[in-house]
Short mmCIF file of all heavy atoms in Angstrom, two decimals:
data_model
loop_
_atom_site.label_atom_id
_atom_site.label_comp_id
_atom_site.label_asym_id
_atom_site.label_seq_id
_atom_site.Cartn_x
_atom_site.Cartn_y
_atom_site.Cartn_z
N SER A 368 -31.76 34.26 -11.03
CA SER A 368 -30.52 35.00 -10.78
C SER A 368 -29.36 34.09 -10.40
O SER A 368 -28.20 34.51 -10.45
CB SER A 368 -30.76 36.03 -9.67
OG SER A 368 -31.07 35.38 -8.45
N ASN A 369 -29.66 32.85 -10.04
CA ASN A 369 -28.59 31.89 -9.75
C ASN A 369 -27.79 31.64 -11.02
O ASN A 369 -28.35 31.40 -12.09
CB ASN A 369 -29.21 30.57 -9.24
CG ASN A 369 -28.16 29.57 -8.82
OD1 ASN A 369 -27.45 29.04 -9.65
ND2 ASN A 369 -28.09 29.30 -7.53
N LYS A 370 -26.46 31.71 -10.94
CA LYS A 370 -25.62 31.61 -12.13
C LYS A 370 -25.81 30.28 -12.85
O LYS A 370 -25.92 30.25 -14.09
CB LYS A 370 -24.15 31.78 -11.74
CG LYS A 370 -23.79 33.19 -11.29
CD LYS A 370 -22.30 33.29 -11.01
CE LYS A 370 -21.93 34.71 -10.59
NZ LYS A 370 -20.49 34.86 -10.30
N ALA A 371 -25.84 29.18 -12.11
CA ALA A 371 -25.99 27.87 -12.75
C ALA A 371 -27.35 27.75 -13.41
O ALA A 371 -27.47 27.22 -14.53
CB ALA A 371 -25.79 26.76 -11.72
N VAL A 372 -28.41 28.25 -12.74
CA VAL A 372 -29.75 28.20 -13.33
C VAL A 372 -29.83 29.10 -14.56
O VAL A 372 -30.41 28.71 -15.59
CB VAL A 372 -30.80 28.62 -12.28
CG1 VAL A 372 -32.19 28.67 -12.92
CG2 VAL A 372 -30.80 27.65 -11.10
N ASN A 373 -29.24 30.27 -14.50
CA ASN A 373 -29.25 31.19 -15.64
C ASN A 373 -28.53 30.58 -16.84
O ASN A 373 -29.01 30.67 -17.98
CB ASN A 373 -28.58 32.51 -15.23
CG ASN A 373 -28.74 33.57 -16.30
OD1 ASN A 373 -27.90 33.74 -17.17
ND2 ASN A 373 -29.86 34.32 -16.22
N ARG A 374 -27.40 29.94 -16.60
CA ARG A 374 -26.69 29.27 -17.69
C ARG A 374 -27.52 28.12 -18.28
O ARG A 374 -27.56 27.92 -19.50
CB ARG A 374 -25.35 28.76 -17.17
CG ARG A 374 -24.45 28.17 -18.24
CD ARG A 374 -23.04 27.95 -17.74
NE ARG A 374 -22.97 27.08 -16.58
CZ ARG A 374 -22.70 27.48 -15.35
NH1 ARG A 374 -22.46 28.77 -15.11
NH2 ARG A 374 -22.64 26.64 -14.35
N TYR A 375 -28.19 27.40 -17.41
CA TYR A 375 -29.06 26.30 -17.87
C TYR A 375 -30.20 26.83 -18.74
O TYR A 375 -30.52 26.26 -19.78
CB TYR A 375 -29.59 25.57 -16.64
CG TYR A 375 -30.74 24.62 -16.90
CD1 TYR A 375 -30.56 23.43 -17.59
CD2 TYR A 375 -32.03 24.93 -16.45
CE1 TYR A 375 -31.62 22.57 -17.82
CE2 TYR A 375 -33.09 24.08 -16.67
CZ TYR A 375 -32.89 22.90 -17.36
OH TYR A 375 -33.93 22.05 -17.59
N LEU A 376 -30.82 27.94 -18.34
CA LEU A 376 -31.93 28.51 -19.10
C LEU A 376 -31.47 29.02 -20.46
O LEU A 376 -32.16 28.82 -21.47
CB LEU A 376 -32.59 29.63 -18.30
CG LEU A 376 -33.40 29.19 -17.07
CD1 LEU A 376 -33.91 30.40 -16.31
CD2 LEU A 376 -34.58 28.31 -17.49
N HIS A 377 -30.32 29.67 -20.53
CA HIS A 377 -29.82 30.16 -21.82
C HIS A 377 -29.52 29.01 -22.77
O HIS A 377 -29.86 29.08 -23.96
CB HIS A 377 -28.58 31.03 -21.59
CG HIS A 377 -28.89 32.44 -21.21
ND1 HIS A 377 -29.17 33.43 -22.14
CD2 HIS A 377 -28.98 33.04 -19.99
CE1 HIS A 377 -29.40 34.57 -21.52
NE2 HIS A 377 -29.30 34.36 -20.20
N GLU A 378 -28.89 27.96 -22.25
CA GLU A 378 -28.60 26.81 -23.11
C GLU A 378 -29.91 26.13 -23.55
O GLU A 378 -30.04 25.69 -24.69
CB GLU A 378 -27.69 25.82 -22.37
CG GLU A 378 -27.30 24.59 -23.19
CD GLU A 378 -26.49 24.94 -24.42
OE1 GLU A 378 -25.87 26.03 -24.45
OE2 GLU A 378 -26.47 24.12 -25.37
N SER A 379 -30.88 26.06 -22.62
CA SER A 379 -32.17 25.46 -22.98
C SER A 379 -32.85 26.28 -24.07
O SER A 379 -33.44 25.73 -25.01
CB SER A 379 -33.07 25.40 -21.74
OG SER A 379 -32.49 24.58 -20.74
N ALA A 380 -32.77 27.62 -23.98
CA ALA A 380 -33.41 28.48 -24.98
C ALA A 380 -32.77 28.28 -26.35
O ALA A 380 -33.47 28.16 -27.37
CB ALA A 380 -33.31 29.94 -24.54
N ARG A 381 -31.44 28.25 -26.41
CA ARG A 381 -30.79 28.06 -27.69
C ARG A 381 -31.12 26.69 -28.29
O ARG A 381 -31.34 26.55 -29.51
CB ARG A 381 -29.27 28.20 -27.52
CG ARG A 381 -28.81 29.64 -27.31
CD ARG A 381 -27.30 29.75 -27.35
NE ARG A 381 -26.67 29.15 -26.17
CZ ARG A 381 -26.38 29.84 -25.08
NH1 ARG A 381 -26.67 31.14 -25.01
NH2 ARG A 381 -25.81 29.25 -24.06
N LEU A 382 -31.19 25.67 -27.44
CA LEU A 382 -31.44 24.31 -27.93
C LEU A 382 -32.90 24.15 -28.38
O LEU A 382 -33.18 23.57 -29.45
CB LEU A 382 -31.10 23.29 -26.83
CG LEU A 382 -31.09 21.82 -27.24
CD1 LEU A 382 -30.07 21.57 -28.34
CD2 LEU A 382 -30.79 20.94 -26.02
N THR A 383 -33.82 24.64 -27.59
CA THR A 383 -35.23 24.50 -27.98
C THR A 383 -35.56 25.33 -29.23
O THR A 383 -36.46 24.98 -30.01
CB THR A 383 -36.15 24.92 -26.81
OG1 THR A 383 -35.80 26.23 -26.37
CG2 THR A 383 -36.00 23.94 -25.64
N TRP A 384 -34.85 26.44 -29.41
CA TRP A 384 -35.06 27.20 -30.65
C TRP A 384 -34.66 26.36 -31.87
O TRP A 384 -35.35 26.36 -32.89
CB TRP A 384 -34.27 28.50 -30.59
CG TRP A 384 -34.24 29.25 -31.89
CD1 TRP A 384 -33.18 29.44 -32.71
CD2 TRP A 384 -35.35 29.89 -32.52
NE1 TRP A 384 -33.54 30.15 -33.82
CE2 TRP A 384 -34.89 30.46 -33.72
CE3 TRP A 384 -36.70 30.07 -32.19
CZ2 TRP A 384 -35.70 31.16 -34.60
CZ3 TRP A 384 -37.51 30.78 -33.07
CH2 TRP A 384 -37.01 31.32 -34.26
N GLN A 385 -33.56 25.63 -31.75
CA GLN A 385 -33.15 24.76 -32.85
C GLN A 385 -34.16 23.64 -33.07
O GLN A 385 -34.37 23.20 -34.20
CB GLN A 385 -31.76 24.18 -32.57
CG GLN A 385 -30.65 25.22 -32.56
CD GLN A 385 -29.28 24.62 -32.32
OE1 GLN A 385 -29.09 23.42 -32.52
NE2 GLN A 385 -28.34 25.45 -31.89
N MET A 386 -34.80 23.17 -32.00
CA MET A 386 -35.85 22.17 -32.16
C MET A 386 -37.04 22.75 -32.93
O MET A 386 -37.64 22.09 -33.79
CB MET A 386 -36.32 21.67 -30.79
CG MET A 386 -35.29 20.92 -29.99
SD MET A 386 -35.98 20.45 -28.37
CE MET A 386 -34.54 19.78 -27.56
N ALA A 387 -37.38 23.99 -32.61
CA ALA A 387 -38.58 24.60 -33.19
C ALA A 387 -38.43 24.90 -34.67
O ALA A 387 -39.42 24.92 -35.42
CB ALA A 387 -38.93 25.87 -32.42
N ILE A 388 -37.19 25.13 -35.14
CA ILE A 388 -37.01 25.52 -36.54
C ILE A 388 -36.70 24.33 -37.46
O ILE A 388 -36.36 24.51 -38.63
CB ILE A 388 -35.89 26.58 -36.66
CG1 ILE A 388 -34.57 26.02 -36.15
CG2 ILE A 388 -36.28 27.85 -35.93
CD1 ILE A 388 -33.40 27.00 -36.28
N GLN A 389 -36.80 23.10 -36.88
CA GLN A 389 -36.65 21.93 -37.75
C GLN A 389 -37.90 21.78 -38.62
O GLN A 389 -38.97 22.31 -38.32
CB GLN A 389 -36.43 20.67 -36.91
CG GLN A 389 -35.18 20.68 -36.04
CD GLN A 389 -33.91 20.82 -36.84
OE1 GLN A 389 -33.70 20.11 -37.83
NE2 GLN A 389 -33.06 21.76 -36.44
N GLN A 390 -37.77 21.04 -39.72
CA GLN A 390 -38.92 20.80 -40.60
C GLN A 390 -39.13 19.30 -40.74
O GLN A 390 -38.36 18.63 -41.41
CB GLN A 390 -38.65 21.43 -41.98
CG GLN A 390 -39.73 21.22 -43.01
CD GLN A 390 -41.06 21.86 -42.62
OE1 GLN A 390 -41.10 22.74 -41.75
NE2 GLN A 390 -42.15 21.43 -43.24
N PRO A 391 -40.15 18.77 -40.07
CA PRO A 391 -41.07 19.42 -39.12
C PRO A 391 -40.38 19.66 -37.79
O PRO A 391 -39.35 19.08 -37.52
CB PRO A 391 -42.19 18.39 -38.99
CG PRO A 391 -41.52 17.09 -39.18
CD PRO A 391 -40.45 17.32 -40.21
N PRO A 392 -40.97 20.49 -36.94
CA PRO A 392 -40.34 20.79 -35.65
C PRO A 392 -40.27 19.56 -34.76
O PRO A 392 -41.15 18.69 -34.79
CB PRO A 392 -41.24 21.87 -35.05
CG PRO A 392 -42.54 21.74 -35.75
CD PRO A 392 -42.23 21.24 -37.13
N MET A 393 -39.21 19.47 -33.95
CA MET A 393 -39.06 18.36 -33.00
C MET A 393 -40.07 18.53 -31.87
O MET A 393 -40.58 19.63 -31.62
CB MET A 393 -37.63 18.31 -32.47
CG MET A 393 -36.58 18.08 -33.56
SD MET A 393 -34.89 18.08 -32.93
CE MET A 393 -34.86 16.50 -32.07
N LYS A 394 -40.31 17.42 -31.15
CA LYS A 394 -41.37 17.40 -30.14
C LYS A 394 -40.81 16.99 -28.79
O LYS A 394 -40.16 15.95 -28.66
CB LYS A 394 -42.47 16.42 -30.57
CG LYS A 394 -43.59 16.22 -29.57
CD LYS A 394 -44.43 17.48 -29.41
CE LYS A 394 -45.64 17.22 -28.51
NZ LYS A 394 -46.46 18.42 -28.30
N MET A 395 -41.06 17.85 -27.76
CA MET A 395 -40.78 17.49 -26.36
C MET A 395 -42.11 17.24 -25.67
O MET A 395 -43.07 17.97 -25.88
CB MET A 395 -40.02 18.62 -25.64
CG MET A 395 -38.58 18.79 -26.09
SD MET A 395 -37.77 20.22 -25.32
CE MET A 395 -37.92 19.77 -23.59
N SER A 396 -42.14 16.21 -24.81
CA SER A 396 -43.43 15.83 -24.21
C SER A 396 -43.25 15.45 -22.74
O SER A 396 -42.28 14.77 -22.38
CB SER A 396 -44.02 14.65 -24.97
OG SER A 396 -45.19 14.19 -24.33
N ILE A 397 -44.24 15.91 -21.93
CA ILE A 397 -44.33 15.49 -20.52
C ILE A 397 -45.78 15.13 -20.21
O ILE A 397 -46.25 15.29 -19.08
CB ILE A 397 -43.82 16.59 -19.58
CG1 ILE A 397 -44.60 17.89 -19.81
CG2 ILE A 397 -42.32 16.81 -19.70
CD1 ILE A 397 -44.30 18.97 -18.77
#
Side-chain angles (χ1 to χ4, degrees):
S368 64
N369 185 291
K370 291 184 179 180
V372 176
N373 189 267
R374 185 168 58 252
Y375 166 71
L376 289 175
H377 277 276
E378 181 62 23
S379 298
R381 287 188 289 268
L382 190 60
T383 54
W384 171 250
Q385 294 181 21
M386 295 178 187
I388 60 178
Q389 299 299 312
Q390 178 63 18
M393 299 178 72
K394 175 68 174 179
M395 289 175 60
S396 174
I397 56 171

